[in-house]
Amino acid sequence: MKKLLLLGFMVMITMAFGQDKMKVISGSLGLLKDQTEVNVELLFENVLFMKENITEAQYLENRKKQVLENPKRGEEAWKKWIAEWEKYKKEDYIDYFAKGLNKSYKNISFKKDSSAKYTLIVEPKWIFPGWHAGLTAMTAEITGTIKLVETTNPSVVLAKVELNKFDKFVNNEEFVMEYGRIAAAYESAGRYLGKEIKKTLK
C-alpha cells in the first residue's frame, strides 16, 4: 500500500511539472485522418545515456561492472540482464510504444512491421533509465523525436513530435529493472501521443 501511495505521489509530481515534455514541432498529425492502421518503428542508434551523456557501450560496461561486483548476482545475473536488454531494444520497446498508442486511441491500429501508408518512427537520442529502491523509484526519461513519414518514402517527414526528458509515469511488471522502466517510458509516450492524435482528429 505504501508503495502505491508513493508511486501515486510520483505521478502527481510528474503531471504537475514539465508540461512541454512532448510537443508537435512541425507538420500535422491530422494526416492520419481516415487511416485504420499505422506502422510503428524504433531507430535505436547512437543513443546517449545518463546525465554524463555516455555512449551505450560505456553504459553497459558500467552496468556489467556493477552486476559482477555484487556478491548476490554475478556472471549468470549479468548474462540474463544483457539478454533482456537486447531483447527489449529489438522487440519490446516498440511493442510498449504501440501498446500505449492503442490504449489511448482505438480508431487506428498501431503495430510494427505493418505495410500501412504511414509510419511513426521513434528516435531516442538520450535516455536516463531512472532507478528503483524498494518503496521509492524514479521514472526513466527519454529525449528524442517521433516522426510521421510515408512508409514507402521515410525521408520525407510529414510531422515531428519532440520528446524533452519525457518521464510521464506508467508501471509494468519489470519496472524494477532499467529496461522495464525505459519500456514504461515508451508506453507512456505512446499513451500521450495517442491522446494528441485523438484530440487532433476529433
Side-chain angles (χ1 to χ4, degrees), residues 18-37:
Q19 298 302 311
D20 293 326
K21 291 182 181 291
M22 174 186 285
K23 60 182 177 180
V24 179
I25 59 173
S26 66
S28 173
L29 297 170
L31 290 170
L32 296 179
K33 186 176 181 179
D34 301 324
Q35 300 301 305
T36 59
E37 185 172 295

Side-chain angles (χ1 to χ4, degrees), residues 46-61:
N46 301 316
V47 182
L48 298 178
F49 289 81
M50 309 301 288
K51 306 298 184 183
E52 298 81 11
N53 293 321
I54 59 177
T55 65
E56 182 183 3
Q58 290 171 313
Y59 172 68
L60 293 179
E61 185 61 33

Side-chain angles (χ1 to χ4, degrees), residues 179-191:
Y179 43 79
R181 291 190 296 276
I182 296 170
Y186 280 113
E187 180 180 347
S188 184
R191 288 190 189 186

Side-chain angles (χ1 to χ4, degrees), residues 122-148:
V122 186
E123 294 186 69
K125 297 301 179 184
W126 176 85
I127 293 174
F128 177 71
W131 47 263
H132 192 282
L135 295 177
T136 59
M138 181 176 183
T139 55
E141 299 176 3
I142 298 176
T143 291
T145 59
I146 302 171
K147 298 176 182 177
L148 175 64

Side-chain angles (χ1 to χ4, degrees), residues 80-129:
K80 180 180 178 182
W81 193 97
I82 193 63
E84 288 296 300
W85 177 266
E86 292 299 328
K87 181 176 77 72
Y88 269 74
K89 215 169 59 167
K90 294 174 182 176
E91 303 173 20
D92 294 357
Y93 289 150
I94 195 61
D95 288 340
Y96 273 92
F97 178 68
K99 178 183 177 182
L101 282 163
N102 289 315
K103 187 175 183 66
S104 291
Y105 190 62
K106 302 184 184 300
N107 291 354
I108 297 175
S109 175
F110 299 91
K111 57 184 181 180
K112 65 184 180 184
D113 301 324
S114 167
S115 58
K117 180 178 180 180
Y118 295 113
T119 294
L120 285 169
I121 302 177
V122 186
E123 294 186 69
K125 297 301 179 184
W126 176 85
I127 293 174
F128 177 71

Side-chain angles (χ1 to χ4, degrees), residues 15 17 35 42 58 72 104 109 113 122 133 151 162 166 180:
M15 292 175 66
F17 296 95
Q35 300 301 305
L42 172 66
Q58 290 171 313
K72 295 183 179 179
S104 291
S109 175
D113 301 324
V122 186
T151 302
E162 182 180 71
F166 185 88

